[in-house]
């Protein structure tokens, strides 16, 4: 049992060290980055498409897409106008800092302002692996149900912002927003939250404004170095 | 690298051996069992509630609930009328045969006909761990999107039946049923599929009939031993 704990600690610490390296590489190139996590089908890729479409005139955007199989998501990000790099994890249930570290050389970071890393669709495993990105964003979705913060606390605890996607489906499902938000508040007090719909674009502008400010601040710090 | 493969093989083989033990225990008690897998929020627990409500007059039902945290799902299964046992995996992203083996003694199997095991909400990891149950059932859901078979092939490949839940949401989301079914057919030809809605109970009877036949056949085999 002690042995098992030690091995796990070693893995996490190696991952964290490489995550720091990734962060240094991104900072040196002045790239602001987001790690986007969610259940399968919560709408990560739709949100990326919309983000790229809305921000591509202002910022140069790249997307690293983590998937078990296929390049469907990277294709969608590329169609929206981003430079897209696919990581097929070959069965792994999360991205880790090593995979991101291997993907970074495939992007000319000096020609990029903003990097979106789309993690594998999974509400459990990605929470344990820092990638070196600046911000962890979780995409929840209305049809997933209002009990998810209570049942997947690790994921809700570790994120810097929360999207609640598919609010256009609120009239058609049983979702107690108060119950959901109480769970989130318990795990991650004061977490900034963006209820929105990628489908009808309701609420998307608050999220984009929040992103804009962060990308710009990062660019200013980089330009002043 | 070779070392890594060997260790993984050892883990899987130990799990498979214990899965066989679980199956023998269940068969000896004449209990038919299903391993229910899905993304977070696809509707496993709603389906279990409905199944227990509809079948509890005919069969004696127990539910083993695997969750990262809380006993919310076990509470719902118990309210519906099943004997419910909770496994908190403490962060583990899937159930394995060991966890099920440790849960089985908490159920008086001789007083049970049908055992439902609710796996952790995850479309990746549970596919790699047999539990010893008789049938693996995957619950997909309409708002998850039609690309899931292509992106999570491991899960779709290994199951014996597929539920497509939340068909009441079809008018409100973009879901190409043909595209979805082509993906499923490619990975798991001839897979029996039940499109249904736990919310309005449309389509539920085909699934329940299919279950009924299997539970009864199992009881007949057991009684003839």
């Amino acid at each position: 049992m002690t042995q098992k704990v030690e091995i796990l600690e070693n893995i996490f610490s190696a991952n964290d060290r490489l995550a720091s390296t990734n962060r240094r590489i991104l900072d040196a190139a002045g790239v602001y980055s987001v790690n986007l996590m969610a259940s399968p089908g919560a709408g990560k890729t739709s949100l990326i498409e919309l983000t790229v479409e809305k921000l591509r005139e202002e910022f140069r955007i790249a997307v690293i897409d983590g998937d078990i199989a296929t390049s469907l998501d990277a294709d969608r990000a590329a169609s929206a106008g981003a430079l897209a790099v696919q990581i097929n994890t070959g069965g792994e249930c999360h991205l880790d800092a090593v995979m991101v570290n291997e993907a970074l050389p495939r992007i000319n970071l000096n020609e990029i302002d903003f990097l979106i890393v789309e993690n594998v669709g999974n509400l459990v495993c990605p929470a344990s692996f820092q990638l070196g990105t600046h911000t962890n964003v979780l995409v929840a979705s209305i049809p997933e149900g209002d009990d998810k913060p209570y049942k997947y606390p690790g994921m809700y605890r570790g994120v810097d912002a929360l999207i609640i996607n598919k609010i256009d489906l609120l009239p058609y499902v049983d979702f107690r927003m108060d119950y959901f938000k109480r769970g989130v508040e318990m795990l991650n007090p004061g977490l900034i939250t963006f209820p929105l719909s990628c489908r009808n674009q309701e609420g998307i502008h608050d999220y984009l404004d929040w992103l804009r400010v962060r990308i710009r601040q990062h660019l200013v710090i980089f330009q002043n170095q």
Side-chain angles (χ1 to χ4, degrees), chain A:
Chain A
M1 196 60 191
T2 315
Q3 186 64 20
K4 193 181 173 191
V5 171
E6 271 175 25
I7 291 168
L8 280 175
E9 276 176 2
N10 285 343
I11 291 170
F12 286 132
S13 139
N15 184 77
D16 286 352
R17 282 199 303 275
L18 202 56
S20 302
T21 305
N22 291 343
R23 175 76 72 96
R24 276 198 302 277
I25 293 169
L26 292 166
D27 282 341
V31 176
Y32 177 72
S33 58
V34 160
N35 170 22
L36 213 57
M37 297 177 285
S39 293
K44 291 186 300 302
T45 313
S46 300
L47 184 68
I48 289 172
E49 285 179 309
L50 203 53
T51 305
V52 171
E53 278 166 29
K54 300 284 185 188
L55 297 184
R56 70 181 167 202
E57 310 279 304
E58 288 166 73
F59 307 107
R60 299 164 301 174
I61 308 175
V63 176
I64 294 179
D65 253 302
D67 255 317
I68 305 291
T70 81
S71 64
L72 288 174
D73 290 352
D75 298 345
R76 286 173 62 186
S79 301
L83 171 69
V85 171
Q86 179 74 33
I87 305 178
N88 277 332
T89 67
E92 276 292 327
C93 50
H94 59 272
L95 291 183
D96 60 26
V98 180
M99 298 180 205
V100 172
N101 188 263
E102 287 169 356
L104 287 179
R106 295 164 60 193
I107 302 169
N108 186 344
L109 293 174
N110 291 318
E111 295 188 354
I112 292 296
D113 305 311
F114 178 35
L115 171 67
I116 307 173
V117 181
E118 180 173 4
N119 218 308
V120 177
N122 188 325
L123 266 196
V124 189
C125 315
S128 304
F129 292 86
Q130 291 299 318
L131 307 181
T133 49
H134 298 85
T135 306
N136 289 321
V137 176
L138 173 62
V139 186
S141 89
I142 296 297
E144 275 170 35
D146 51 28
D147 57 355
K148 292 302 159 290
Y150 302 90
K151 293 173 62 182
Y152 300 88
M155 187 61 88
Y156 279 82
R157 224 178 252 128
V159 294
D160 307 301
L162 172 66
I163 312 262
I164 309 174
N165 191 20
K166 308 195 190 184
I167 55 167
D168 55 296
L169 293 179
L170 273 171
Y172 313 114
V173 298
D174 304 311
F175 188 97
R176 296 158 296 176
M177 190 60 88
D178 277 2
Y179 178 68
F180 177 84
K181 286 195 165 170
R182 263 203 315 279
V184 174
E185 186 63 21
M186 209 169 66
L187 296 162
N188 199 327
L191 181 66
I192 188 158
T193 300
F194 300 101
L196 56 83
S197 161
C198 287
R199 195 162 192 249
N200 68 20
Q201 304 195 10
E202 188 187 339
I204 187 78
H205 291 291
D206 281 351
Y207 171 63
L208 293 177
D209 284 345
W210 175 83
L211 260 187
R212 245 184 216 108
V213 169
R214 301 188 139 234
I215 303 169
R216 274 191 206 134
Q217 281 184 348
H218 201 261
L219 283 173
V220 168
I221 293 166
F222 175 69
Q223 284 160 354
N224 290 344
Q225 272 178 350

